[in-house]
Amino acid sequence: MTTIIVTTKIRAPIEIVFDIARNIDIHQLSAAKSNEKAIDGKTSGLIELNETVTWSGRHLGLQLLHKSRITHFTFPSYFVDEMEVGHFKSFKHEHFFQFENDYTVMIDRLDYETPYGVLDLFFDKIVLKKYLTNFIKTRNKILKNLAENQQ
């Protein structure tokens, strides 16, 4: 299993950051480079507990589908999306939010397993972990910009 942790400080109220982070339309904006679109389940607006979204996008040169469900939800401090259908053996993305000294600290923790054993371990170390880390960081820059300029 691989774990990625990305911490982002955002000068905005925790409620705004939480809602921006779970907004399907904003995710599509932040994932424009991969042309990621919500094609089934919740396809617009704020995703809630037990709702699913199926994403279609081009990643690492491949057109991929990824269906996830919101499995935990505590407004405005925590939510989790977990893969139900996709190209990983497992994929769990935890989103943590804390308000400290005029900033919301947003922590993304992504735990995933690739499905093909030893071959994927090499691919993960060389390509995938860096790709997913950059995907989250790019997304978070856009979320930060939107949250800080929404006030």
Side-chain angles (χ1 to χ4, degrees), residues 20-37:
I20 285 174
R22 66 188 178 106
N23 187 300
I24 302 292
D25 304 297
I26 292 173
H27 179 86
Q28 290 177 126
L29 174 69
S30 72
K33 185 177 178 183
S34 61
N35 198 31
E36 198 162 286
K37 302 285 183 213

PDB file of all heavy atoms in Angstrom, residues 20-37:
ATOM      1  N   ILE A  20     -15.845  23.702  -0.962  1.00  0.00           N
ATOM      2  CA  ILE A  20     -15.112  23.755  -2.232  1.00  0.00           C
ATOM      3  C   ILE A  20     -14.446  22.408  -2.520  1.00  0.00           C
ATOM      4  O   ILE A  20     -14.429  21.950  -3.661  1.00  0.00           O
ATOM      5  CB  ILE A  20     -14.101  24.923  -2.228  1.00  0.00           C
ATOM      6  CG1 ILE A  20     -14.853  26.248  -2.403  1.00  0.00           C
ATOM      7  CG2 ILE A  20     -13.043  24.754  -3.312  1.00  0.00           C
ATOM      8  CD1 ILE A  20     -13.981  27.487  -2.272  1.00  0.00           C
ATOM      9  N   ALA A  21     -13.946  21.756  -1.484  1.00  0.00           N
ATOM     10  CA  ALA A  21     -13.246  20.481  -1.658  1.00  0.00           C
ATOM     11  C   ALA A  21     -14.175  19.346  -2.081  1.00  0.00           C
ATOM     12  O   ALA A  21     -13.728  18.374  -2.684  1.00  0.00           O
ATOM     13  CB  ALA A  21     -12.515  20.094  -0.376  1.00  0.00           C
ATOM     14  N   ARG A  22     -15.468  19.468  -1.797  1.00  0.00           N
ATOM     15  CA  ARG A  22     -16.413  18.401  -2.159  1.00  0.00           C
ATOM     16  C   ARG A  22     -17.341  18.803  -3.296  1.00  0.00           C
ATOM     17  O   ARG A  22     -18.319  18.127  -3.589  1.00  0.00           O
ATOM     18  CB  ARG A  22     -17.215  17.938  -0.946  1.00  0.00           C
ATOM     19  CG  ARG A  22     -18.150  18.994  -0.379  1.00  0.00           C
ATOM     20  CD  ARG A  22     -18.751  18.537   0.933  1.00  0.00           C
ATOM     21  NE  ARG A  22     -19.606  19.551   1.510  1.00  0.00           N
ATOM     22  CZ  ARG A  22     -20.932  19.494   1.524  1.00  0.00           C
ATOM     23  NH1 ARG A  22     -21.566  18.461   1.016  1.00  0.00           N
ATOM     24  NH2 ARG A  22     -21.635  20.463   2.075  1.00  0.00           N
ATOM     25  N   ASN A  23     -17.002  19.878  -3.963  1.00  0.00           N
ATOM     26  CA  ASN A  23     -17.814  20.384  -5.054  1.00  0.00           C
ATOM     27  C   ASN A  23     -17.402  19.722  -6.373  1.00  0.00           C
ATOM     28  O   ASN A  23     -16.255  19.849  -6.810  1.00  0.00           O
ATOM     29  CB  ASN A  23     -17.663  21.910  -5.149  1.00  0.00           C
ATOM     30  CG  ASN A  23     -18.601  22.519  -6.147  1.00  0.00           C
ATOM     31  OD1 ASN A  23     -18.567  22.195  -7.324  1.00  0.00           O
ATOM     32  ND2 ASN A  23     -19.444  23.426  -5.681  1.00  0.00           N
ATOM     33  N   ILE A  24     -18.323  19.003  -6.987  1.00  0.00           N
ATOM     34  CA  ILE A  24     -18.051  18.266  -8.228  1.00  0.00           C
ATOM     35  C   ILE A  24     -17.628  19.203  -9.361  1.00  0.00           C
ATOM     36  O   ILE A  24     -16.682  18.923 -10.101  1.00  0.00           O
ATOM     37  CB  ILE A  24     -19.305  17.462  -8.665  1.00  0.00           C
ATOM     38  CG1 ILE A  24     -19.741  16.477  -7.571  1.00  0.00           C
ATOM     39  CG2 ILE A  24     -19.086  16.773 -10.010  1.00  0.00           C
ATOM     40  CD1 ILE A  24     -18.816  15.333  -7.308  1.00  0.00           C
ATOM     41  N   ASP A  25     -18.297  20.341  -9.488  1.00  0.00           N
ATOM     42  CA  ASP A  25     -17.987  21.287 -10.570  1.00  0.00           C
ATOM     43  C   ASP A  25     -16.577  21.845 -10.416  1.00  0.00           C
ATOM     44  O   ASP A  25     -15.836  21.981 -11.398  1.00  0.00           O
ATOM     45  CB  ASP A  25     -19.013  22.424 -10.592  1.00  0.00           C
ATOM     46  CG  ASP A  25     -20.428  21.891 -10.706  1.00  0.00           C
ATOM     47  OD1 ASP A  25     -20.735  21.263 -11.730  1.00  0.00           O
ATOM     48  OD2 ASP A  25     -21.213  22.081  -9.759  1.00  0.00           O
ATOM     49  N   ILE A  26     -16.190  22.157  -9.179  1.00  0.00           N
ATOM     50  CA  ILE A  26     -14.846  22.682  -8.930  1.00  0.00           C
ATOM     51  C   ILE A  26     -13.798  21.601  -9.167  1.00  0.00           C
ATOM     52  O   ILE A  26     -12.717  21.879  -9.700  1.00  0.00           O
ATOM     53  CB  ILE A  26     -14.758  23.296  -7.521  1.00  0.00           C
ATOM     54  CG1 ILE A  26     -15.620  24.570  -7.490  1.00  0.00           C
ATOM     55  CG2 ILE A  26     -13.310  23.589  -7.137  1.00  0.00           C
ATOM     56  CD1 ILE A  26     -15.774  25.194  -6.119  1.00  0.00           C
ATOM     57  N   HIS A  27     -14.103  20.358  -8.813  1.00  0.00           N
ATOM     58  CA  HIS A  27     -13.156  19.277  -9.100  1.00  0.00           C
ATOM     59  C   HIS A  27     -12.912  19.172 -10.609  1.00  0.00           C
ATOM     60  O   HIS A  27     -11.773  19.007 -11.045  1.00  0.00           O
ATOM     61  CB  HIS A  27     -13.635  17.935  -8.549  1.00  0.00           C
ATOM     62  CG  HIS A  27     -12.688  16.827  -8.857  1.00  0.00           C
ATOM     63  ND1 HIS A  27     -11.606  16.542  -8.050  1.00  0.00           N
ATOM     64  CD2 HIS A  27     -12.623  15.971  -9.901  1.00  0.00           C
ATOM     65  CE1 HIS A  27     -10.919  15.547  -8.593  1.00  0.00           C
ATOM     66  NE2 HIS A  27     -11.523  15.172  -9.703  1.00  0.00           N
ATOM     67  N   GLN A  28     -13.976  19.256 -11.378  1.00  0.00           N
ATOM     68  CA  GLN A  28     -13.822  19.186 -12.840  1.00  0.00           C
ATOM     69  C   GLN A  28     -12.950  20.331 -13.346  1.00  0.00           C
ATOM     70  O   GLN A  28     -12.106  20.135 -14.221  1.00  0.00           O
ATOM     71  CB  GLN A  28     -15.192  19.182 -13.529  1.00  0.00           C
ATOM     72  CG  GLN A  28     -15.926  17.884 -13.296  1.00  0.00           C
ATOM     73  CD  GLN A  28     -17.317  17.845 -13.882  1.00  0.00           C
ATOM     74  OE1 GLN A  28     -17.617  16.943 -14.636  1.00  0.00           O
ATOM     75  NE2 GLN A  28     -18.167  18.795 -13.546  1.00  0.00           N
ATOM     76  N   LEU A  29     -13.122  21.514 -12.787  1.00  0.00           N
ATOM     77  CA  LEU A  29     -12.286  22.662 -13.146  1.00  0.00           C
ATOM     78  C   LEU A  29     -10.826  22.388 -12.794  1.00  0.00           C
ATOM     79  O   LEU A  29      -9.927  22.623 -13.602  1.00  0.00           O
ATOM     80  CB  LEU A  29     -12.788  23.920 -12.420  1.00  0.00           C
ATOM     81  CG  LEU A  29     -11.955  25.179 -12.560  1.00  0.00           C
ATOM     82  CD1 LEU A  29     -12.037  25.707 -13.987  1.00  0.00           C
ATOM     83  CD2 LEU A  29     -12.432  26.237 -11.566  1.00  0.00           C
ATOM     84  N   SER A  30     -10.593  21.849 -11.603  1.00  0.00           N
ATOM     85  CA  SER A  30      -9.215  21.605 -11.156  1.00  0.00           C
ATOM     86  C   SER A  30      -8.555  20.452 -11.904  1.00  0.00           C
ATOM     87  O   SER A  30      -7.335  20.344 -11.933  1.00  0.00           O
ATOM     88  CB  SER A  30      -9.186  21.334  -9.647  1.00  0.00           C
ATOM     89  OG  SER A  30      -9.716  20.067  -9.339  1.00  0.00           O
ATOM     90  N   ALA A  31      -9.352  19.576 -12.524  1.00  0.00           N
ATOM     91  CA  ALA A  31      -8.828  18.426 -13.255  1.00  0.00           C
ATOM     92  C   ALA A  31      -8.945  18.614 -14.764  1.00  0.00           C
ATOM     93  O   ALA A  31      -8.960  17.638 -15.517  1.00  0.00           O
ATOM     94  CB  ALA A  31      -9.549  17.153 -12.816  1.00  0.00           C
ATOM     95  N   ALA A  32      -9.001  19.860 -15.200  1.00  0.00           N
ATOM     96  CA  ALA A  32      -9.182  20.154 -16.630  1.00  0.00           C
ATOM     97  C   ALA A  32      -8.050  19.570 -17.481  1.00  0.00           C
ATOM     98  O   ALA A  32      -8.279  19.144 -18.619  1.00  0.00           O
ATOM     99  CB  ALA A  32      -9.284  21.657 -16.848  1.00  0.00           C
ATOM    100  N   LYS A  33      -6.850  19.519 -16.933  1.00  0.00           N
ATOM    101  CA  LYS A  33      -5.698  18.999 -17.689  1.00  0.00           C
ATOM    102  C   LYS A  33      -5.928  17.550 -18.131  1.00  0.00           C
ATOM    103  O   LYS A  33      -5.500  17.141 -19.204  1.00  0.00           O
ATOM    104  CB  LYS A  33      -4.428  19.117 -16.849  1.00  0.00           C
ATOM    105  CG  LYS A  33      -3.175  18.719 -17.572  1.00  0.00           C
ATOM    106  CD  LYS A  33      -1.945  18.928 -16.711  1.00  0.00           C
ATOM    107  CE  LYS A  33      -0.698  18.469 -17.441  1.00  0.00           C
ATOM    108  NZ  LYS A  33       0.494  18.593 -16.602  1.00  0.00           N
ATOM    109  N   SER A  34      -6.611  16.781 -17.289  1.00  0.00           N
ATOM    110  CA  SER A  34      -6.896  15.378 -17.626  1.00  0.00           C
ATOM    111  C   SER A  34      -8.290  15.212 -18.232  1.00  0.00           C
ATOM    112  O   SER A  34      -8.736  14.086 -18.450  1.00  0.00           O
ATOM    113  CB  SER A  34      -6.757  14.500 -16.386  1.00  0.00           C
ATOM    114  OG  SER A  34      -7.680  14.897 -15.395  1.00  0.00           O
ATOM    115  N   ASN A  35      -8.982  16.332 -18.459  1.00  0.00           N
ATOM    116  CA  ASN A  35     -10.329  16.320 -19.020  1.00  0.00           C
ATOM    117  C   ASN A  35     -11.263  15.419 -18.211  1.00  0.00           C
ATOM    118  O   ASN A  35     -12.114  14.717 -18.755  1.00  0.00           O
ATOM    119  CB  ASN A  35     -10.315  15.913 -20.500  1.00  0.00           C
ATOM    120  CG  ASN A  35     -11.592  16.318 -21.203  1.00  0.00           C
ATOM    121  OD1 ASN A  35     -12.213  17.317 -20.858  1.00  0.00           O
ATOM    122  ND2 ASN A  35     -11.991  15.538 -22.194  1.00  0.00           N
ATOM    123  N   GLU A  36     -11.095  15.457 -16.887  1.00  0.00           N
ATOM    124  CA  GLU A  36     -11.895  14.613 -16.007  1.00  0.00           C
ATOM    125  C   GLU A  36     -13.303  15.183 -15.881  1.00  0.00           C
ATOM    126  O   GLU A  36     -13.481  16.356 -15.578  1.00  0.00           O
ATOM    127  CB  GLU A  36     -11.219  14.535 -14.633  1.00  0.00           C
ATOM    128  CG  GLU A  36     -11.702  13.390 -13.807  1.00  0.00           C
ATOM    129  CD  GLU A  36     -10.748  13.068 -12.669  1.00  0.00           C
ATOM    130  OE1 GLU A  36      -9.681  12.493 -12.920  1.00  0.00           O
ATOM    131  OE2 GLU A  36     -11.109  13.408 -11.529  1.00  0.00           O
ATOM    132  N   LYS A  37     -14.289  14.330 -16.111  1.00  0.00           N
ATOM    133  CA  LYS A  37     -15.695  14.720 -16.068  1.00  0.00           C
ATOM    134  C   LYS A  37     -16.478  13.736 -15.207  1.00  0.00           C
ATOM    135  O   LYS A  37     -16.224  12.529 -15.234  1.00  0.00           O
ATOM    136  CB  LYS A  37     -16.312  14.706 -17.479  1.00  0.00           C
ATOM    137  CG  LYS A  37     -15.617  15.602 -18.479  1.00  0.00           C
ATOM    138  CD  LYS A  37     -15.932  17.055 -18.245  1.00  0.00           C
ATOM    139  CE  LYS A  37     -15.280  17.903 -19.310  1.00  0.00           C
ATOM    140  NZ  LYS A  37     -14.864  19.187 -18.849  1.00  0.00           N
TER     141      LYS A  37
END
